Amino acid sequence: MHGTPPIDAVSLAIIEQLQEDGRRPYAAIGKAVGLSEAAVRQRVQKLLDQGVMQIVAVTDPLTVGLRRQAMVGINVEGDLDPVADALTAMDEVEYVVVTAGSFDLLIEIVCEDDDHLLETINKRIRTLPGVRSTESFVYLKLRKQTYTWGTR
């Protein structure tokens, strides 16, 4: 996304339309934003190609058999990049952020159950070269999850 030109108001409006309903027809989006269906199609493709947005199906992890989620704070010795790269490659890891503060990295992991969570943290994350310590924050209840922040 770095190096992409600023997004104009029409593209933001298209993104808002897709955030409300990712399957909304381009013709309906065009009516809402004042463009033709073809123009909307071109803009959506450009936004996808530039990495500005993705169109994905978001699931509730509980409904697909993933009953345990946690945020894990990680402290690293030395270069963060190899650790961040290794975490990014793990299927259980949904989110990797380099941070400033108490932790070097914050990750979100989604697992089938407590045993899977323990195995992921203890056998796969803590054993990565450079990982000095971890602190886990197990989710008890999800109160809010939204993906509309891109256009506020």
Side-chain angles (χ1 to χ4, degrees), residues 54-103:
Q54 299 174 15
I55 300 174
V56 299
V58 178
T59 61
D60 176 350
L62 292 174
T63 65
V64 294
L66 300 169
R67 294 177 191 77
R68 183 56 70 210
Q69 291 177 271
M71 183 70 64
V72 180
I74 302 171
N75 286 308
V76 175
E77 291 178 345
D79 189 359
L80 299 173
D81 288 340
V83 177
D85 291 343
L87 293 166
T88 299
M90 292 182 187
D91 289 339
E92 294 86 355
V93 177
E94 297 295 320
Y95 182 82
V96 178
V97 179
V98 176
T99 65
S102 298
F103 301 106

Side-chain angles (χ1 to χ4, degrees), residues 100-139:
S102 298
F103 301 106
D104 297 313
L105 299 167
L106 282 177
I107 66 169
E108 182 177 40
I109 56 179
V110 181
C111 296
E112 295 169 10
D113 53 29
D114 287 337
D115 289 336
H116 185 198
L117 177 66
L118 179 60
E119 187 272 333
T120 301
I121 294 171
N122 197 42
K123 304 283 189 212
R124 296 181 57 216
I125 294 172
R126 288 183 177 161
T127 60
L128 288 172
V131 171
R132 183 175 55 222
S133 65
T134 66
E135 185 172 347
S136 302
F137 304 90
V138 176
Y139 298 1

Side-chain angles (χ1 to χ4, degrees), residues 29-60:
I29 295 171
K31 279 186 182 178
V33 302
L35 292 176
S36 69
E37 179 179 351
V40 170
R41 181 177 289 106
Q42 286 180 330
R43 281 190 181 237
V44 167
Q45 191 58 55
K46 184 176 180 182
L47 291 167
L48 293 169
D49 291 345
Q50 291 177 333
V52 171
M53 69 174 191
Q54 299 174 15
I55 300 174
V56 299
V58 178
T59 61
D60 176 350

